[in-house]
Each structure stands twice: as structure tokens, then as C-alpha cells.
Amino acid sequence: MQAIGALPLSFASRLVAWHAKHGRRDLPWQNTRDPYRIWISEIMLQQTQVSTVIPYYERFLAAFPDVATLASSPLERVLEHWSGLGYYRRAHLAHRAAQAIVDHHGGTFPHENDAITALPGIGRSTAAAIAAFAFGTRGAILDGNVKRVLARHAGVDGFPGDAKVERKLWRHAESLLPEREIETYTQALMDLGATVCLRRCPGCDLCPVANDCIALREDRIDSLPAPRPKKILPQRAVSVLLLHRHGEVLVEKRPATGIWAGLWSLPEVAVDADIVAHCLVRFAAEVAPQTPLPAIEHGFTHFRLTLHPQPCAVLGLPRHAAEPGLLWLPLTDIAGAALPAPIKKLLRDRMLA
Ligand code: ADE
């Protein structure tokens, strides 16, 4: 540890100094104090990597440049811009939060931590990050990467998602906060987690806080933080119907809750359903099932889903084409539609090729 006189430099000072040389300083949501732009970036970054987020972020901000525009846009349009980013609940909640900001805060993003945390989709860590970057408010953050940095640095055992372990990490995060330069410190902590203190093969020789890292000293870098206790996720399977005719495919609006809520997707049926009978009853469509396509595996937070794509040529013109919740989507519109990523990929690979 470097020292000034006899005083060792604090954790925060070493991070801030490291950031000046090695931190990220020109991400599209940096160099602004606009809480709206910062908020949207933090929501997108909650479960998604920086490199994936950047193009979505830029398109989203071009379409919804401020809170008022987001609040007054139809959810459908918001979902179109989120399509492919996953974890769509974030988009639903961001839309709702924008409406709450307009309705309860006169369209101005709130400054107080309690008011920020009360907005849909914003937890304690995200609120602290927004407040630090937008208003310079001093507060601890604890996202997934930061949990890893702190669990290693303080040698905290146990799975960080466990409430007791998480409480310990929050206390540690708070104890390390600097009095000044909270913005740089917060960004430095995020950057250290994203670029040096990696889950596998971390660059401990490049780390500014390696000298007093307990995991490094005790040779426990590979075992900290402890992984999520193994839980076997339930497995479900459905057939997805690719009903196609004249360069269009039938899509169905998903219910407002549950997986892929509010997105358009392919109609689903039980794997053992009689597809011809189902299509006649549900869509008034006479169909000829074709060779099934290879199954697609998709993981959700609480279960795994196997999709069995079943192409069907539509023979008779269905009466229900204009029914609300059903849409004949031109194949040329697939890219911009609010479809889940695996469905968009399936249509792109199999219908546009
Ligand atoms: N992850 C979460 N917030 C971030 C930010 N502001 N910059 C980079 N990565 C992040």
C-alpha cells in the first residue's frame, strides 16, 4: 500500500487514483448530470453488459429523449426499443416510473434518496448510483460486480444473494465511502469489478487494492464470492407455431404479466396438442404442419423453457386475422418489432434466410 507519511492511502483514494488512469470515462451515459439519461443507463446495465447496452441505450435515448416523452409513449413502443435486451420487466417498470415522475414530481427526476428508491424498478444500489452520478450524493452501491469486489477484498464468505451476507457487504460498502469525489469513486468501483476483479481470471496484479485484499492474501480468489447454491430449475416445453402465408407470420400479443409480458410472440400450444384442430378453433385457419425445426433452449430466472418450433403453411384465409391481440406481421418488419430475442432470432434465421 502506498503511504503519505505514515498514513496508508484509503481504499477509496486508491480507487480514485486508479480510475484516473484506467477507468472508463467516455461511455455514452457519462459526462452528463442529466438524471434521466443516467437512470436509463443504470436500468439497462442492471442485468446486461456495457457493450450490449450501448447501441440499445443510444436508440432508446433518440426515441425517448426525456421523461415526459417516455411517460407519454405507448408501452408497445418502449418494448420495441427494449426488444432483444431481455428482462422486459425493466422496460415495464421504467415506463411506469416515468409516469410516476410526471404525475408525482412534476416531470422532474426526484433528488431525495427515498423518493428515488420509491420509483418502480429502482432498488437501493441503483438509486445510490443515480444520486451519485446525477447529484453527487454520497451513498454506497452494491451491484453484482461490486459484491464480488467487496466479498474478495473483505474476505466475506457465503452467497452474496443471501440476506445476511448482503447486509454484511452493505456495511462494508458504507464503511469504505469517501467524503468527496463520490461520482469518481462509484464509477471506479464499477469499473474495477467489470475490468479487473473478474469472476474468472481476475487481474490481481493490476488491482489498486490488492495489497489488503483478504481473498488474495488467503488464496481464496477462486472461491469468493461463494456461488449461488445449486437449485435445479423446473423445465417446461411448448410448441411455438410459425403460421406463415404470403411473406407474413402470425404473432400473438403476450399477456400483460408473466414471461415476455406485453411483447408479440409466436402462438404457443402444448407439445402434444393437435395443431390442425387447434389452429382451426383458435385462428379459424386451415393449416398444413411442416417438418418441425430444431428445439431452442431458453433460460429464465425461475425455469428453463424448451421451444419446439412448428412451421405450418396456412391454406385457408383465417377469419380472425384482425382480432385484437393477433397480427399478421410482415417478415420485413421483424427487426423492429417488439418480439423476444429468441423468437426474433428464430424468425430471422428460418423465415428470412
Ligand atoms: N454498470 C452499472 N452501472 C454502470 C455504469 N454507470 N458504468 C459502467 N458499468 C455500469
Side-chain angles (χ1 to χ4, degrees):
M1 206 182 307
Q2 287 172 308
I4 302 173
L7 268 184
L9 281 182
S10 69
F11 179 91
S13 308
R14 284 175 284 156
L15 272 194
V16 168
W18 172 83
H19 186 266
K21 274 200 184 156
H22 305 288
R24 299 176 289 187
R25 281 185 300 278
D26 34 43
L27 297 171
W29 44 86
Q30 294 181 318
N31 307 309
T32 178
R33 285 274 184 179
D34 179 351
Y36 173 73
R37 301 180 69 87
I38 292 165
W39 163 47
I40 297 299
S41 77
E42 291 302 331
I43 299 298
M44 287 190 171
L45 288 160
Q46 275 171 355
Q47 273 119 337
T48 314
Q49 286 188 352
V50 167
S51 55
T52 307
V53 163
I54 290 175
Y56 280 91
Y57 178 77
E58 287 179 336
R59 285 193 297 267
F60 195 94
L61 264 292
F64 313 106
D66 48 47
V67 173
T69 311
L70 179 58
S72 62
S73 298
L75 175 63
E76 168 95 25
R77 254 200 98 222
V78 180
L79 291 173
E80 276 169 20
H81 283 79
W82 212 274
S83 166
L85 205 50
Y87 301 98
Y88 296 96
R89 212 175 121 70
R90 296 181 295 179
H92 288 253
L93 294 174
H95 188 237
R96 243 183 271 158
Q99 292 172 339
I101 294 168
V102 168
D103 292 347
H104 307 306
H105 301 283
T108 303
F109 201 95
H111 282 229
E112 307 72 36
N113 224 285
D114 288 353
I116 302 176
T117 315
L119 292 170
I122 303 187
R124 178 174 168 187
S125 182
T126 301
I130 297 168
F133 293 138
F135 312 125
T137 309
R138 186 172 175 272
I141 59 158
L142 194 63
D143 66 11
N145 283 345
V146 175
K147 283 179 180 170
R148 184 171 58 251
V149 173
L150 300 188
R152 283 176 174 163
H153 186 258
V156 174
D157 287 310
F159 171 55
D162 180 85
K164 241 168 94 184
V165 179
E166 194 169 327
R167 270 199 298 279
K168 212 186 250 184
L169 291 172
W170 272 116
R171 276 199 301 276
H172 189 54
E174 277 167 350
S175 75
L176 298 171
L177 282 183
E179 289 301 328
R180 293 179 301 111
E181 294 193 274
I182 190 70
E183 305 90 319
T184 312
Y185 170 74
T186 304
Q187 188 67 53
L189 197 50
M190 288 175 172
D191 291 356
L192 190 74
T195 64
V196 173
C197 192
L198 303 175
R199 197 156 66 81
R200 271 185 242 118
C201 302
C204 298
D205 47 342
L206 305 171
C207 178
V209 292
N211 285 4
D212 51 355
C213 175
I214 292 182
L216 186 62
R217 186 191 308 153
E218 296 179 356
D219 197 18
R220 291 198 291 152
I221 288 285
D222 290 342
S223 55
L224 289 180
R228 176 188 293 279
K230 280 261 180 295
K231 189 171 82 190
I232 303 206
L233 291 181
Q235 179 84 42
R236 292 185 205 158
V238 285
S239 292
V240 286
L241 305 179
L242 290 123
L243 267 58
H244 58 93
R245 56 147 212 208
H246 314 311
E248 294 175 331
V249 63
L250 188 70
V251 290
E252 191 170 27
K253 183 87 159 243
R254 306 256 336 156
T257 55
I259 62 161
W260 298 336
L263 297 186
W264 291 94
S265 191
L266 294 171
E268 292 179 8
V269 290
V271 281
D272 57 356
D274 177 338
I275 287 171
V276 171
H278 176 88
C279 289
L280 207 52
V281 173
R282 173 75 184 89
F283 309 118
E286 218 179 294
V287 305
Q290 298 163 317
T291 311
L293 296 172
I296 299 166
E297 295 292 334
H298 193 71
F300 293 97
T301 325
H302 299 297
F303 65 97
R304 294 196 57 77
L305 183 65
T306 307
L307 301 164
H308 295 280
Q310 174 60 66
C312 296
V314 175
L315 308 174
L317 199 66
R319 278 186 286 116
H320 291 351
E323 188 185 313
L326 289 179
L327 175 74
W328 283 101
L329 179 70
L331 296 177
T332 47
D333 290 354
I334 287 171
L339 297 160
I343 300 297
K344 195 175 266 195
K345 181 170 186 317
L346 171 69
L347 290 174
R348 214 188 285 133
D349 294 352
R350 296 295 177 164
M351 307 298 281
L352 288 180

